[in-house]
RNA sequence: UGGGGCGUAGCCAAGCGGUAAGGCACCGGGUUUUGAUCCCGGCAUGCGCAGGUUCGAAUCCUGCCGCCCCAGCCA
């Protein structure tokens, strides 16, 4: 396992720490609250790590709550996907909830606001509401329906619930302040009419609560102490507090009775919303709209395409969940908008995989190499360690024979300066075998190198007298007669510009797609690599980290995805 | 003369009045049967700018400048 660096101090940890130490919040409760209207991506992983991580760190609990208050956008397929992704990342929720579990409570809470005279039914349509709202610099005006009496409001609201009105005909609004500089406080909508089937509650409700109303009350219902969300909700916080305070679930437990009756224990809290900055990554996009476009237009094979920044894509690509977690831990949490270098993530992936991926040999661009001084029939099995540093990972049997495949790039007739691999008349070490010398270069009619004839120095074999003789290069190989042909999918960054989502000067983010982000080739792998179970990670020595494809790989027809290449200072230098 | 946030190295980020942590990247060097890993060293006289307070300021005060978010019956 990769070594965990000390947790970086950040403001959220400090706040929670203080609340715990002062006794203000002896038990920490958090929640991860996605809307089930799409798939989770690496950006969501930051929130997941924070929500679940803080709870775990302070001995508290974290719920998974599906914020499903807008029917029509939400699908059961997404709620399943979200659960899978959170589990895969390595977290377990205390309770799985849906905001829709609380619809009855929300409704009662809304009736309470009506009775308290701080909510009213408005007949204005969407366009009129917009006109009355004012602008960023001008105050809004009161709706003509703002001063309706409590009885009329209550009657109207009940009829909204009974389904007597059509979509958009009426809304329930909070009576706050149409002149507020904070537009969220200009009589925000609490309920809208939407006669649409809901993914969890079917056709039971013709009206649905708005996010601002449902979210804070859901938090309170679940006894959430610290409610983390992203920066754009900062100006919603006054409204969050307004609803929590005016509804006052803790002081009106009758509102929560439906939950108690349903056997859902409930001790409402006064949750505190704390905002942090999202984490963006270079060379990719995270917006749901853009990701959806890539999927729908067939630019990628699906939500779990290994090039996608979705969690299912990262999984298929071979990014270990531990790497995603250590990545976000390393990045910290702050309120500054950021654009994190994709290389940091890759470094985390390499760190994790270096520690635990078994080594195997594979050749992606084969060139035949014959060890001419070995007998035609020479064949042996060498025992080779799975890891250069961790002996506990054991060994595997590696077949070796007279005819091998090596990497075409490991031979050069006219070597560039600094080249350490095989050249005519030159020597190089064959990994795990010994030192070979290139005696002859065989070419075809076009002058293309098709075969190398080499001789193996027996004294440099592991049991020989000159095992430790030094040569400058070591190359990898597979035995031609024993190697298994495999499909190898070489993945790279999805986009070839740092900020593909910018779309300046009328360009589309899709113009920045990296055409080489996926290359499918056929190569050869040693038998012990082909045997892998799906999702097994290997390091193909000198090439990179690969994973057996979750869906397409079988030992008979192996398919490996390149997760990330090895760090390559040679390629960088010779660039 | 709308409201809310944010400015510390190329990218993240700690710092909470006592003299700029750490990671990634980058540049040197060492070890190495993976040009990997690992190990050592270098990388902000400087914290958006300008003033002020103080023995002492990235930290406090004032004024500027820059960037982000908000006018859904989305979340």
């Amino acid at each position: 396992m990769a070594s965990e660096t000390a947790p970086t101090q950040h403001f959220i940890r400090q706040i929670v720490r203080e609340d715990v130490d002062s006794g203000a919040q002896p038990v920490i409760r958090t929640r991860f609250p996605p809307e089930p209207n799409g798939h989770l991506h690496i950006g969501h992983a930051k929130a997941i790590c924070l929500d679940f991580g803080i709870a775990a760190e302070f001995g508290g609990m974290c719920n998974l709550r599906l914020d499903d208050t807008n029917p029509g956008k939400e699908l059961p397929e997404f709620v399943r996907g979200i659960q899978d992704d959170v589990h895969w990342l390595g977290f377990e929720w205390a309770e799985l909830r849906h905001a829709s579990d609380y619809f009855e409570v929300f409704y009662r809470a809304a009736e309470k606001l009506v009775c308290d005279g701080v909510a009213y039914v408005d007949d204005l349509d969407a366009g009129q509401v917009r006109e009355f709202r004012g602008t960023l610099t001008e105050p809004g005006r009161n709706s003509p329906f703002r001063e309706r009496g409590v009885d009329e409001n209550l009657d109207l609201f009940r009829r909204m619930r009974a389904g007597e009105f059509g979509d958009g005909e009426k809304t329930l609004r909070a009576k706050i302040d149409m002149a507020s500089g904070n537009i969220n406080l200009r009589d925000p909508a609490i309920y809208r009419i939407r006669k649409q089937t809901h993914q969890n509650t079917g056709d039971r409700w013709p009206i649905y609560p708005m996010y601002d109303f449902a979210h804070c009350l859901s938090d309170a219902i679940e006894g959430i102490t610290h409610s983390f969300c992203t920066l754009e909700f900062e100006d919603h916080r006054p409204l969050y507090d307004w609803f929590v305070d005016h509804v006052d679930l803790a002081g009106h437990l009758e509102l929560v009775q439906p939950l108690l009756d349903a056997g859902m224990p409930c001790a409402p809290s006064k949750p505190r919303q704390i905002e942090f900055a999202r984490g963006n990554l270079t060379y990719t996009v995270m917006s749901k709209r853009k990701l959806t476009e890539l999927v729908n237009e067939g630019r990628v094979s699906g939500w779990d395409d290994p090039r996608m920044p979705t969690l299912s894509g990262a999984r298929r690509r071979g990014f270990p969940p531990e790497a995603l977690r250590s990545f976000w831990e390393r990045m910290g949490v702050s309120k500054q908008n950021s654009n994190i270098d994709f290389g940091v993530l890759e470094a985390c992936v390499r760190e994790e995989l270096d520690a635990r991926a078994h080594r195997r040999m594979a050749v992606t661009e084969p060139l035949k190499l014959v060890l001419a001084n070995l007998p035609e029939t020479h064949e042996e099995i060498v025992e080779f360690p799975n890891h250069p540093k961790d002996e506990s990972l054991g060994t595997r049997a590696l077949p070796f024979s007279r005819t091998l495949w090596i990497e075409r790039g490991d031979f050069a007739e006219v070597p560039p300066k600094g080249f350490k691999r095989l050249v005519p008349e030159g020597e190089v070490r064959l990994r795990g075998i010994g030192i070979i010398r290139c005696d002859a270069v065989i070419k075809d009619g076009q002058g293309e190198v098709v075969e190398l004839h080499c001789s193996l120095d027996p004294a440099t074999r592991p049991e020989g007298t000159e095992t430790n003789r030094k040569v400058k290069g070591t190359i990898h190989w597979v035995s031609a007669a024993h190697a298994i042909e495999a499909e190898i999918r070489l993945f790279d960054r999805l986009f070839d510009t740092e900020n593909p989502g910018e779309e300046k000067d009328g360009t589309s983010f899709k113009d920045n797609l990296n055409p080489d982000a996926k290359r499918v080739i056929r190569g050869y792998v040693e038998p012990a690599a082909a045997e892998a179970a799906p999702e097994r990670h290997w390091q193909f020595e000198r090439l990179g980290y690969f994973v057996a494809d979750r869906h397409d790989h079988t030992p008979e027809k192996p398919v490996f995805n390149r997760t990330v290449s090895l760090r390559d200072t040679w390629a960088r230098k010779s660039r």
Side-chain angles (χ1 to χ4, degrees):
Chain A
M1 222 61 20
S3 60
E4 304 287 319
T5 43
T8 72
Q9 189 59 268
H10 59 68
F11 77 104
I12 289 183
R13 251 199 265 268
Q14 288 182 40
I15 291 171
V16 175
R17 168 98 276 155
E18 276 164 30
D19 286 347
V20 170
D21 289 350
S22 71
Q25 299 289 4
V27 181
I28 299 303
R29 283 177 173 274
T30 60
R31 97 278 90 115
F32 172 61
E35 183 187 15
N37 68 343
H39 285 92
L40 263 27
H41 53 62
I42 294 173
H44 290 110
K46 179 177 187 179
I48 297 171
C49 291
L50 214 219
D51 293 330
F52 284 92
I54 289 289
E57 191 175 329
F58 292 94
M61 349 206 189
C62 180
N63 290 348
L64 173 60
R65 179 169 73 233
L66 296 140
D67 228 338
D68 55 347
T69 55
N70 189 9
K73 290 177 68 179
E74 298 147 3
L75 263 25
E77 126 184 34
F78 293 133
V79 347
R80 277 192 303 275
I82 287 168
Q83 293 180 59
D84 290 347
D85 289 342
V86 172
H87 271 143
W88 173 76
L89 245 197
F91 296 106
E92 190 58 65
W93 46 85
E95 312 249 9
L96 175 66
R97 297 290 178 86
H98 288 75
S100 54
D101 296 337
Y102 313 137
F103 278 175
E104 187 61 38
V105 179
F106 298 153
Y107 178 79
R108 292 188 184 199
E111 276 202 357
K112 173 179 184 291
L113 295 182
V114 169
C115 293
D116 290 347
V118 291
Y120 62 99
V121 172
D122 199 341
D123 294 0
L124 256 29
D125 65 31
Q128 294 169 314
V129 167
R130 192 179 320 120
E131 283 168 35
F132 277 76
R133 185 158 34 226
T135 70
L136 292 179
T137 51
E138 296 161 315
R141 288 137 47 217
N142 288 168
S143 162
F145 303 96
R146 197 176 200 260
E147 298 310 325
R148 282 217 251 237
V150 167
D151 292 344
E152 188 187 357
N153 279 324
L154 200 52
D155 173 60
L156 255 14
F157 184 46
R158 286 177 173 164
R159 288 164 61 194
M160 279 170 66
R161 180 193 186 156
E164 285 187 32
F165 308 110
D167 283 14
E169 269 182 47
K170 293 189 177 354
T171 54
L172 182 73
R173 293 228 257 166
K175 191 188 284 192
I176 306 183
D177 178 10
M178 289 305 293
S180 173
N182 181 348
I183 291 181
N184 295 114
L185 265 18
R186 319 243 259 231
D187 289 11
I190 299 175
Y191 265 96
R192 77 287 215 177
I193 299 170
R194 188 146 300 181
K195 292 184 175 163
Q196 224 171 135
T197 303
H198 183 280
Q199 63 91 16
N200 189 36
T201 59
D203 295 314
R204 283 207 285 283
W205 293 84
I207 55 172
Y208 291 92
M210 299 292 292
Y211 164 87
D212 284 305
F213 186 63
H215 195 91
C216 57
L217 294 185
S218 300
D219 284 345
I221 288 168
E222 293 173 23
I224 302 303
T225 52
H226 303 265
S227 177
F228 309 131
C229 65
T230 43
L231 250 31
E232 69 270 27
F233 293 104
E234 268 176 323
D235 13 294
H236 291 241
R237 192 180 341 122
L239 185 52
Y240 182 105
D241 292 334
W242 192 93
F243 281 132
V244 169
D245 293 339
H246 284 260
V247 170
D248 186 21
L249 289 173
H252 297 268
L253 289 175
E254 69 279 7
L255 299 174
V256 121
Q257 195 57 45
L259 265 21
L260 270 9
D261 293 343
M264 224 179 259
C266 180
S269 59
K270 160 90 171 124
R272 201 239 271 212
Q273 173 179 301
I274 299 167
E275 311 84 8
F276 65 95
R278 304 176 111 104
N280 300 300
L281 275 179
T282 57
Y283 298 101
T284 191
V285 294
M286 300 278 202
S287 98
K288 197 163 297 176
R289 178 215 118 205
K290 293 186 176 108
L291 262 16
T292 304
E293 238 174 278
L294 295 176
V295 172
N296 290 347
E297 295 177 11
R299 309 277 188 144
V300 293
S301 64
W303 287 99
D304 70 345
D305 185 296
R307 289 165 290 182
M308 290 284 275
T310 49
L311 292 182
S312 52
R315 175 178 184 176
R316 203 166 171 198
R317 173 76 167 261
F319 286 8
E322 294 85 352
L324 256 19
R325 284 190 252 128
S326 72
F327 169 67
W328 285 121
E329 184 53 51
R330 259 190 223 196
M331 289 304 90
V333 178
S334 77
K335 300 187 78 160
Q336 283 182 70
N337 291 315
S338 66
N339 203 14
I340 303 156
D341 191 327
F342 198 81
V344 182
L345 212 205
E346 292 177 328
C348 291
V349 171
R350 289 190 183 108
E351 180 181 278
E352 179 64 31
L353 259 14
D354 174 59
R356 65 171 219 230
H358 287 35
R359 309 293 120 127
R360 291 293 182 268
M361 292 208 275
V363 171
T364 55
E365 245 191 303
L367 173 62
K368 187 181 281 185
L369 184 151
V370 177
L371 267 1
N373 66 332
L374 255 33
E376 284 306 329
T377 56
H378 184 88
E379 195 174 306
E380 66 182 287
I381 301 291
V382 302
E383 189 181 359
F384 209 66
N386 284 323
H387 193 104
K389 290 190 170 170
D390 190 347
E391 278 183 34
S392 73
L393 264 22
T395 62
R396 88 274 192 180
L398 179 61
F400 168 65
S401 63
R402 187 176 187 260
T403 305
L404 312 174
W405 295 116
I406 65 159
E407 212 67 61
R408 189 163 280 275
D410 283 341
F411 172 78
E413 241 189 322
V414 282
K417 190 169 161 34
F419 194 72
K420 299 209 287 199
R421 284 103 95 149
L422 197 55
V423 299
E425 319 279 287
E427 282 190 322
V428 78
R429 180 177 292 279
L430 262 193
R431 179 108 238 251
I433 299 298
I435 294 173
I436 59 169
R437 178 192 162 80
C438 178
D439 302 315
V441 179
I442 316 297
K443 297 183 185 177
D444 64 9
Q446 278 73 246
E448 179 96 1
V449 176
V450 292
E451 195 172 314
L452 264 21
H453 282 14
C454 301
S455 45
L456 171 62
D457 178 355
T460 60
R461 300 224 47 196
E463 62 284 356
T465 53
E466 286 184 64
T467 308
N468 292 323
R469 204 182 110 203
K470 304 291 179 207
V471 280
K472 47 185 203 269
T474 300
I475 66 173
H476 60 96
W477 54 274
V478 293
S479 166
H482 307 270
I484 314 281
E485 194 177 339
E487 176 173 327
I488 297 180
R489 300 173 180 167
L490 301 173
F491 294 104
D492 204 341
R493 297 167 179 185
L494 221 204
F495 294 90
D496 51 20
T497 57
E498 236 179 86
N499 303 303
E502 269 183 2
E503 303 196 321
K504 49 177 189 282
D505 311 322
T507 60
S508 162
F509 73 100
K510 288 174 288 189
D511 300 335
N512 302 319
L513 251 2
N514 174 8
D516 299 323
K518 179 181 185 181
R519 276 173 50 220
V520 180
I521 59 173
R522 301 207 65 85
Y524 294 104
V525 303
E526 60 167 285
E531 286 160 9
E535 296 200 81
R536 174 76 192 235
H537 300 279
W538 300 129
Q539 181 198 97
F540 288 161
E541 292 208 25
R542 301 211 303 129
L543 296 177
Y545 297 98
F546 290 74
V547 68
D549 188 79
R550 179 144 95 107
H551 302 310
D552 302 335
H553 174 272
T554 65
E556 294 72 35
K557 293 192 63 182
V559 179
F560 294 104
N561 299 329
R562 183 174 67 194
T563 303
V564 64
S565 64
L566 254 28
R567 248 179 105 247
D568 189 351
T569 46
W570 165 244
R572 207 190 308 139
K573 254 182 225 162
S574 53
R575 219 180 272 151

